Amino acid sequence: MIAQIGQKAPNLGVSKWVQGMPTNFDQEKDHIVLVEVFQVNCPGCFLYGIPEAINIYQKYHSEGVTVLGIATAFEDFDKNTLENLELLAKTGETIGETKKALSQYGRAVDGSKIPYKIPFPLGMDLLTKETGVVSNEKVTDFIKSQLPDFDSQPEDYKSQIIQRVKDYFKSKEYSAYTFDTFSLRGTPSTILVDRKGILRDVSFGQTGHIEQMIQELLNE
């Protein structure tokens, strides 16, 4: 099931919660839920994505806003692992490009640790080893989530897009349930669900509009 804005949000796929109590959208009734989706090997996630989520948590947690962190993997499968997430949660230790960037920007503590404590639950996305077989339905769902007007495009163009998406899926070692279900385009990304469990926003990168949206949802 592919998530759609304005529809009931499907639950997150989580293989393991490494920090905080296990939860999901269907257990957060009457709460606004912000999910920060990141990769352990993602400098931007730790320079602005997670700090923004911590800021939201500190400001609005007492008003009924739940913040969750989900580590995913759509690349660098050797670094974006459950083990490295557990290390981060336990000690604040970073790896790879994240470690390099924090150090470069003078943000690392003791040379390799994040300069803040993540106060909300952290879970690992549900990764499934790819078999190399890609169904036409999966390809079509993915394309339509990215290109809503796909059906009205010229046949040549459609054929090219279908082939590119098939090649993309075949190149992936794993599929990540939450990343795929919410049609995310990269990390950091945010998923915002209202008090009724309706998906209200999915955003990629540094957008700056999340806090305003949360204030609007609090006033509904």
Side-chain angles (χ1 to χ4, degrees):
M1 178 186 175
I2 299 291
Q4 302 282 344
I5 303 281
Q7 302 290 321
K8 194 90 169 164
N11 269 344
L12 304 164
V14 181
S15 61
K16 184 178 182 182
W17 290 97
V18 304
Q19 176 174 294
M21 293 295 289
T23 188
N24 222 311
F25 292 132
D26 60 356
Q27 296 170 51
E28 293 291 338
K29 290 182 173 65
D30 301 325
H31 285 180
I32 294 162
V33 184
L34 174 70
V35 183
E36 183 71 33
V37 184
F38 64 99
Q39 291 186 108
V40 179
N41 192 43
C42 165
C45 297
F46 290 86
L47 288 169
Y48 59 83
I50 291 171
E52 181 184 39
I54 292 171
N55 179 50
I56 298 285
Y57 175 89
Q58 290 169 341
K59 279 189 179 179
Y60 302 104
H61 182 63
S62 61
E63 294 183 47
V65 177
T66 296
V67 180
L68 305 172
I70 298 293
T72 191
F74 63 88
E75 61 189 356
D76 302 330
F77 295 106
D78 59 323
K79 296 184 180 71
N80 293 311
T81 62
L82 173 61
E83 291 73 23
N84 284 333
L85 176 64
E86 289 177 322
L87 180 69
L88 174 80
K90 196 172 178 182
T91 67
E93 192 78 32
T94 58
I95 52 100
E97 294 302 316
T98 301
K99 180 177 174 179
K100 201 185 295 181
L102 287 177
S103 187
Q104 188 181 332
Y105 287 101
R107 300 286 305 279
V109 175
D110 298 334
S112 60
K113 294 181 180 177
I114 51 175
Y116 43 75
K117 177 82 179 100
I118 300 173
F120 43 78
L122 294 174
M124 185 73 200
D125 204 349
L126 190 60
L127 301 186
T128 309
K129 188 82 173 165
E130 286 288 9
T131 60
V133 178
V134 186
S135 72
N136 290 333
E137 186 184 7
K138 185 175 181 179
V139 170
T140 305
D141 283 351
F142 179 83
I143 292 171
K144 288 187 175 176
S145 72
Q146 304 292 329
L147 300 168
D149 62 346
F150 177 73
D151 286 338
S152 63
Q153 299 298 322
E155 288 304 319
D156 281 0
Y157 174 77
K158 282 160 73 171
S159 298
Q160 286 175 25
I161 294 294
I162 288 167
Q163 191 56 53
R164 276 167 57 188
V165 170
K166 281 182 176 175
D167 291 345
Y168 161 71
F169 279 125
K170 283 176 182 170
S171 73
K172 286 173 68 178
E173 285 182 59
Y174 293 88
S175 62
Y177 182 89
T178 300
F179 190 88
D180 292 344
T181 300
F182 288 87
S183 305
L184 302 184
R185 290 182 290 144
T187 54
S189 284
T190 52
I191 299 166
L192 187 61
V193 172
D194 69 17
R195 288 189 180 102
K196 294 176 181 170
I198 303 299
L199 181 63
R200 300 295 287 266
D201 185 71
V202 176
S203 295
F204 167 54
Q206 199 170 8
T207 59
H209 72 284
I210 295 298
E211 184 170 2
Q212 186 184 342
M213 282 200 75
I214 285 173
Q215 288 170 349
E216 288 168 5
L217 291 180
L218 284 167
N219 289 327
E220 281 186 359

